């Protein structure tokens, strides 16, 4: 079935892959026979929806070749400006943030609960129509994928041996490849190394592939980026993450050495809820949580004005603006100043998670623009480079209709239901978990996994359909709606005690926190900025045999300087926990039924 779909030129294909380690165990270890650690590759073939336009048009290699390198045909300052957040992006983020605040307050505070049913849904002009993603789990491959050479072997193995695609098809069709950052970087490096190959077949130079980075790994690195900036350590203040973690029960396991993905999302969610509630109390003049009992919410219009005021006073402004307007009277690092920065960063994460869940690519694209300078300011130079690559491809180097199809392909929907989209790369992480569950015991071998893996996707779908038809829930699942009201109440009381957002009670802080968004914008710009270095690195990619068709794009370049990427904080592999049983709470937007008990 996968081979048929791959060879069908009326379908647009994306190749999603990752690697994992497992140990084949010997029944009785000897000097000649013992446990063996394997570096295994898992892969999924995705078929991407493409609307009314024919697949041959969207995936035409000729169209991609015609626009490749367009980012270098315009002035660098303009190129940077076109991938940076626009005033319209800031306005749209403000509007969505106001709506997020309305939902948070209507869920958490009883006097606003009756407004919940009147709140509008989030809109996206390019929203993805919910449908079951067509996918095929491919056999595993016992091959290391930790090197450029390994990635070359993996790509050729799957496309030529597993899918058995005829060589001529690669001259016409572009295939999209999705993976984590290390995977996509090595794939591009493999293309660069094979660019000088004299074979007449483009598959030998790996040119029929174009790469996109998975959104889950980007969110994971964003958590790491924000966590390191706001953690606090020995100089922690009232809003440092380590302080807030220690205020809450059952959060002591949170750390930055091994990130529990869903636990951090829930932690950030409860902090954002506490900050929004405290900001509302500051604007309304409420001095403690019990004051909500006597507060009367008059109308939806006034509720909207309240949330707009929170956004304009405590979310959007920079520290320099607050100081210039005389609102923030203590210069430099302060408790309330850090609260403003933290709420801004966490609201961006909530917006991204909500947009992913509902299949809203315009909103995702907007947040990618915001996150690019934030990654750079936080020292995550590799992820900043990946996002600049993605944004330039979207804006300049890919045909616009093809770019939208590829971007939408970063999301999958296993049920076809609204609000059930998730990142493609987390689907591969969950497949890894399923495969490893069959790798225990002494009979597991690479050959047995290779045979059983293609059936896992079909079995999973049949199981889900069976439980749906019978009207029962999977007894092996322990999904539960996570109520965080009590934790939010704890943090609200902590914020009240420390006068957060009340600048007349603000205190100086020894914790140095960076305004990642604004500082990152400064560091990306200029002749020696991060964007200029990205363009310099990318120019070398134009030096391929096929690029001779576009000599205007070939410019004199200096020797490649990767020292920035090598020294980036994100060069290391982030130890993580991404358990499939937590998939129901993968987004930070929790559906809640009760409200904070302020009585």
């Amino acid at each position: 079935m996968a081979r048929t779909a791959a060879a069908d030129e009326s379908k647009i294909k994306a190749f999603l892959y990752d690697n994992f380690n497992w140990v084949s165990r010997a029944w009785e270890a000897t000097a000649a026979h013992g446990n063996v650690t394997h570096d295994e590759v898992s892969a999924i073939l995705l078929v991407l929806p493409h609307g009314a336009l024919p697949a041959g048009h969207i995936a035409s290699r000729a169209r991609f070749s015609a626009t490749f390198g367009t980012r270098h045909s315009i002035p660098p300052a303009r190129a940077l400006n076109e991938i940076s957040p626009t005033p319209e992006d800031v306005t749209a983020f403000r509007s969505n943030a106001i709506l997020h605040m309305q939902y948070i307050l209507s869920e958490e505070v009883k006097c606003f609960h009756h407004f919940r049913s009147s709140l509008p849904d989030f809109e996206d002009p390019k929203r993805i129509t919910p449908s079951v993603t067509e996918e095929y789990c491919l056999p595993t491959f016992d091959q290391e994928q930790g090197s450029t050479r390994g990635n070359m072997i993996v790509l050729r193995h799957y496309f030529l041996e597993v899918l058995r695609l005829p060589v001529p098809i690669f001259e016409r069709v572009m295939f999209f490849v999705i993976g984590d950052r290390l995977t996509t970087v090595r794939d591009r490096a493999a293309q660069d190394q094979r660019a000088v190959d004299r074979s007449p077949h483009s598959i030998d130079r790996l040119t029929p592939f174009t790469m996109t980075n998975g959104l889950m790994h980007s969110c994971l690195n964003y958590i790491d980026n924000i966590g390191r900036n706001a953690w606090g350590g020995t100089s922690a203040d009232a809003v440092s993450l380590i302080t807030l973690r220690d205020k809450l029960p059952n959060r002591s396991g949170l750390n930055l050495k091994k990130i529990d993905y869903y636990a951090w999302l829930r932690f950030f969610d409860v902090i954002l809820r506490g900050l929004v509630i405290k900001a509302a109390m500051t604007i309304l003049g409420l001095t403690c949580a019990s004051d909500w009992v006597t507060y009367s919410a008059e109308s939806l219009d006034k509720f909207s004005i309240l949330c707009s005021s929170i956004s304009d006073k405590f979310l959007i402004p920079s520290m320099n603006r607050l100081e210039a307007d005389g609102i923030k009277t203590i210069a430099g690092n302060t408790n309330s100043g850090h609260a403003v920065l933290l709420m801004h960063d966490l609201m961006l994460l909530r917006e991204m998670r909500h947009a992913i869940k509902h299949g809203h690519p315009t909103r995702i694209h907007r947040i990618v623009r915001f996150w690019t300078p934030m990654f750079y300011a936080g020292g995550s130079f590799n992820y900043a480079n990946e996002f600049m690559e993605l944004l330039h491809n979207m804006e300049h180097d890919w045909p616009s209709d093809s770019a939208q199809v590829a971007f939408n392909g970063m999301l999958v929907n296993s049920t076809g239901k609204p609000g059930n989209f998730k990142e493609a790369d987390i689907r591969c992480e969950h497949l890894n978990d399923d495969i490893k569950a069959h790798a225990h015991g002494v009979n597991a071998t690479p050959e047995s996994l290779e045979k059983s893996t293609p059936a896992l996707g079909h079995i999973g779908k049949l199981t889900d359909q069976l439980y749906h038809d019978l009207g029962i829930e999977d007894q092996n699942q322990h999904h539960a709606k996570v109520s965080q009201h009590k934790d939010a109440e704890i943090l609200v009381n902590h914020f009240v005690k420390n006068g957060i957002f009340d600048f007349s009670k603000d205190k100086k802080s020894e914790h140095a926190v960076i305004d990642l968004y604004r500082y990152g914008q400064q560091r990306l710009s200029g002749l020696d900025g991060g964007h200029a270095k990205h363009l310099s690195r990318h120019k070398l990619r134009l030096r391929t045999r096929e690029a001779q068709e576009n000599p205007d794009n070939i410019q004199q370049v200096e020797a490649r300087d990767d020292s920035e990427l090598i020294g980036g904080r994100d060069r290391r592999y982030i130890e993580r926990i991404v358990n499939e049983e937590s998939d129901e709470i993968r987004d930070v937007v929790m559906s809640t039924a009760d409200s904070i008990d302020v009585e």
Side-chain angles (χ1 to χ4, degrees):
M1 295 175 66
R3 288 171 182 165
T4 302
D8 188 349
E9 295 191 42
S10 67
K11 295 181 177 181
I12 299 176
K13 279 76 65 175
F15 179 65
L16 168 65
Y17 76 114
D18 194 11
N19 72 310
F20 63 93
N21 298 319
W22 67 284
V23 178
S24 60
R25 303 189 181 279
W27 181 265
E28 184 174 347
T30 67
H33 181 62
N35 297 339
V36 179
T37 300
H38 297 269
D39 194 352
E40 203 84 16
V41 177
S42 62
I44 302 174
L45 182 70
L46 303 176
V47 176
L48 309 185
H50 53 89
L53 291 175
H57 173 78
I58 295 294
S60 169
R61 278 200 55 209
R63 297 178 70 234
F64 278 85
S65 297
T67 56
F68 181 62
T70 303
R71 72 187 74 176
H72 300 289
S73 65
I74 59 179
R78 175 185 160 191
L80 175 59
N81 186 62
E82 290 179 356
I83 66 169
S84 299
T86 64
E88 292 75 18
D89 288 331
V90 176
T91 299
F93 170 62
R94 174 186 177 274
S95 298
N96 286 346
I98 291 171
L99 187 53
H100 281 300
M101 293 176 188
Q102 289 178 299
Y103 273 103
I104 288 173
L105 290 174
S106 65
E107 292 167 359
E108 299 290 348
V109 183
K110 285 184 177 179
C111 62
F112 296 126
H113 186 67
H114 61 287
F115 293 135
R116 177 67 186 271
S117 60
S118 303
L119 296 179
D121 294 329
F122 289 82
E123 299 293 336
D124 191 302
K126 298 180 180 179
R127 65 183 296 271
I128 303 173
T129 302
S131 62
V132 178
T133 301
E134 184 178 348
E135 63 174 40
Y136 303 91
C137 296
L138 303 179
T140 55
F141 184 30
D142 191 25
Q143 166 65 42
E144 64 86 14
Q145 191 220 331
S147 67
T148 300
R149 177 183 174 278
N151 282 41
M152 293 181 188
I153 295 173
V154 168
L155 289 174
R156 291 182 60 86
H157 170 78
Y158 276 103
F159 281 92
L160 295 180
E161 298 178 24
V162 176
L163 298 176
R164 298 179 183 174
L165 291 175
V167 171
I169 199 173
F170 297 103
E171 309 302 323
R172 304 186 302 272
V173 178
M174 180 67 77
F175 293 87
F176 301 103
V177 177
I178 305 173
D180 59 27
R181 184 192 64 79
L182 290 173
T183 296
T184 55
V185 166
R186 289 174 184 138
D187 286 343
R188 294 194 192 99
Q191 289 178 323
D192 295 343
Q193 290 185 20
R194 300 298 293 271
V196 296
D197 193 288
R198 304 307 298 176
S199 170
H201 306 300
S202 60
I203 182 61
D204 292 328
R205 298 188 298 281
L206 305 178
T207 50
F209 306 117
T210 188
M211 294 78 186
T212 55
N213 193 35
L215 288 174
M216 184 280 288
H217 287 85
S218 299
C219 291
L220 184 74
N221 192 266
Y222 185 80
I223 292 172
D224 181 71
N225 209 31
I226 300 304
R228 292 184 180 279
N229 186 44
W231 185 250
T234 57
S235 59
D237 58 30
V239 292
S240 297
L241 294 182
I242 190 171
T243 302
L244 302 181
R245 183 201 66 176
D246 294 341
K247 290 290 180 181
L248 300 176
N250 303 317
R251 307 277 181 167
S252 59
L254 286 172
N255 62 81
L256 294 169
K257 294 181 179 179
K258 188 171 186 178
I259 294 179
D260 187 329
Y261 186 55
Y262 294 112
W264 272 94
L265 289 178
R266 294 192 294 271
F267 179 49
F268 279 161
D269 174 57
V270 76
I271 294 174
L272 180 61
R273 290 172 182 269
L275 289 171
V276 170
I277 295 170
K278 178 57 178 71
M281 293 174 63
T282 300
I283 290 175
L284 295 174
L286 306 181
T287 57
C288 62
S290 60
D291 290 347
W292 285 115
V293 176
T294 58
Y295 179 78
S296 176
E298 299 179 6
S299 66
L300 182 60
D301 288 339
K302 290 191 175 182
F303 183 43
S304 299
I305 292 173
L306 169 64
C307 294
S308 298
S309 298
I310 296 173
S311 175
D312 295 339
K313 292 182 179 180
F314 303 124
L315 181 76
I316 299 299
S318 66
M319 295 302 97
N320 290 339
R321 170 56 59 191
L322 291 173
E323 291 175 10
D325 291 344
I327 298 174
K328 183 173 179 288
T329 55
I330 302 177
N333 293 294
T334 66
N335 287 349
S336 292
H338 291 170
V340 172
L341 295 177
L342 185 59
M343 185 157 74
H344 174 269
D345 296 347
L346 298 187
M347 186 61 76
L348 285 171
L349 179 60
R350 180 183 172 101
E351 172 72 353
M352 172 65 93
R353 301 301 306 162
H354 189 276
I356 289 172
K357 178 183 179 182
H358 293 277
H360 289 178
T362 305
R363 295 168 62 198
I364 297 173
H365 187 206
R366 182 185 304 125
I367 299 304
V368 169
R369 289 172 174 265
F370 277 96
W371 280 11
T372 301
M374 297 177 71
F375 279 143
Y376 198 84
S380 296
F381 303 130
N382 293 279
Y383 271 91
N385 187 71
E386 282 298 303
F387 269 4
M388 285 187 279
E389 178 70 21
L390 174 62
L391 291 170
H392 274 306
N393 285 335
M394 293 288 294
E395 299 293 333
H396 305 120
D397 286 12
W398 289 347
S400 58
D401 47 7
S402 303
Q404 193 60 56
V405 171
F407 194 81
N408 292 358
M410 298 167 74
L411 302 179
V412 297
N413 191 324
S414 59
T415 65
K417 298 178 182 179
N420 203 41
F421 290 90
K422 59 184 176 183
E423 311 92 312
D425 50 332
I426 208 170
R427 170 68 182 95
C428 204
E429 293 282 347
H430 292 163
L431 175 62
N432 291 347
D433 291 339
D434 291 340
I435 297 172
K436 285 189 285 187
H438 292 78
H440 298 301
V442 296
N443 294 323
T445 64
E447 292 74 21
S448 65
L449 294 183
E450 183 178 342
K451 292 180 180 179
S452 63
T453 299
L456 292 179
H458 302 297
I459 294 173
K461 289 181 179 179
L462 289 173
T463 303
D464 292 341
Q465 187 62 46
L466 175 63
Y467 283 123
H468 178 269
D469 293 342
L470 295 178
I472 61 176
E473 293 182 354
D474 184 356
Q475 298 302 312
N476 294 323
Q477 294 177 341
H478 303 285
H479 299 163
K481 295 298 181 182
V482 179
S483 176
Q484 306 218 92
H485 303 301
K486 192 64 180 179
D487 286 353
E489 184 178 8
I490 292 172
L491 291 187
V492 169
N493 291 331
H494 170 71
F495 293 147
V496 169
K497 180 180 178 181
N498 289 275
I500 302 302
F501 293 132
D502 184 350
F503 287 100
S504 64
K505 299 178 181 178
D506 204 4
K507 295 180 180 179
K508 192 75 174 177
S509 172
E510 298 299 323
H511 181 194
V513 176
I514 301 172
D515 185 341
L516 294 172
Y517 172 58
R518 295 168 183 88
Y519 181 56
Q521 286 183 310
Q522 296 174 8
R523 294 200 61 193
L524 282 179
S525 60
L527 296 178
D528 296 323
H531 181 254
K533 294 176 182 177
H534 165 79
L535 291 180
S536 178
R537 286 188 294 266
H538 188 269
K539 283 180 184 178
L540 291 178
R541 304 210 71 226
L542 302 179
R543 290 184 169 183
T544 63
R545 292 181 62 207
E546 295 181 348
Q548 301 304 322
E549 301 173 4
N550 299 302
D552 293 339
N553 286 338
I554 306 299
Q555 303 180 31
Q556 186 66 32
V557 296
E558 299 178 357
R560 178 167 177 165
D561 180 11
D562 285 339
S563 58
E564 180 180 73
L565 303 184
I566 295 172
R569 174 183 289 170
D570 56 350
R571 70 189 183 280
R572 64 183 179 87
Y573 175 83
I574 298 179
E575 293 290 337
R576 62 185 184 272
I577 301 173
V578 187
N579 294 326
E580 186 169 12
E581 60 261 29
S582 301
D583 196 34
E584 288 295 322
I585 48 175
R586 64 184 179 274
D587 53 289
V588 298
V589 184
M590 304 298 175
S591 60
T592 51
D594 302 320
S595 303
I596 284 183
D597 185 3
V598 296
E599 301 175 356

